[in-house]
Amino acid sequence: MERYHRKRTRTEMYIPVVQPDSSIEEIKQNPVQADEDLPPTVSRSEYDDLRLTHRQLQEDYNNLQQECVKLRSENDSLKHKLYQSKLTYSNVKSSVRQLVYFTGLTSIIFEWLIKKLSSEISHHSLPLEDQLLMVLMKLRLGLSNLDLAYRFNVANSTVSHIYRCWISVMSVVLKPLIKWPNKGAIIKNMPRAFRRNFKRCRCIIDCEEIFIARPSNLTARAQSRSNYKHSNTIKYLIATTPAGAISFVSPGWDGRVSDKQITRESGFLELLEPMDDVLADRGLLVRDELVAYGATLRIPHFTKGKKQLSAQEVDTSRQLACVRIHIERVIGRWKSFKILQTVIPVSQVDMLDEVVTVCAALTNLCKSVVPKGTGSK
């Protein structure tokens, strides 16, 4: 009996460790081995301590799991914000105002340009949409290559390569948009403001100068020196239709060359037909050159050598000023591409003709500056 009581006392003092379900299954399948591999037993106090530790660890695990889910959600949100902060076409196109500010174009025209130019452009690390966005931003905002390199997270040399490649292709593909229309098209789209006094107007012409950096070569520096701008420039002859479209852009000439010489040698005169009227400012004294092609120059009257203009001359000059405002507005739209207002580095002067052509073509893609109310019915 004493031995029995001692054994019973020992049994009550010890409790076996609880086994996982897999161990129970193993015991059921192999009872002989289970008897041989009985787990060690622990005391009641140790068992309570283990249960308390397990409960604390379980709570810590749940808290860490919740914190992990929260951090993952925050990480995904930050990744999304970081992607949206990148300057890409997919991010810019969602805002019409932002796209027009960066490019001057709507998304419809932008995507049309992509389809028109994609087959001519070599692929690069940047998507084609982002490459075109970069080029248009340089034209529209006049940004430097280094500025664009930081914005698009690429090398400065990469920006230069993309810019030269795209401008070369765009100037060829978009040049047909600068078209010299026939007389029938001019008359059909003649604004009402021209119909009364200038119904034979074929175009309005003006010369514009673009600043360039001072060349180190003395000869080039002297040839590009503009007496009017008192700086080094490249000069272009621009012609617009009465309806407000750019119809002719001459090649670039040194700033020292006169407007008359540019008009005579740029190929503009060969486009004129007999009975054409050409409107211009006082500075373009090319009346004799136009007469040789049967055209007439219409410019405001001079007051030089006169005390005052006659009433008829004043009225004619006022009428000319009212319609010549169109070319000022068209050139203003053309120069909204701010690269034409910056000082062009000497290293980029070789591609200035192409840049001017592209900007003129893009201007023609935009809505006409002539109000609809002045159009013919």
Side-chain angles (χ1 to χ4, degrees), residues 58 256 321 359 376:
Q58 187 68 37
R256 191 177 180 181
C359 292
S376 59

Side-chain angles (χ1 to χ4, degrees), residues 351-370:
M351 56 189 300
L352 186 55
D353 283 5
E354 297 174 338
V355 171
V356 167
T357 300
V358 170
C359 292
L362 293 176
T363 301
N364 284 346
L365 283 175
C366 299
K367 184 179 179 181
S368 175
V369 296
V370 179

Side-chain angles (χ1 to χ4, degrees), residues 44-56:
R44 170 71 68 174
S45 59
E46 290 177 337
Y47 174 75
D48 293 339
D49 291 340
L50 289 173
R51 286 192 62 184
L52 179 61
T53 303
H54 176 266
R55 189 180 299 111
Q56 292 174 346

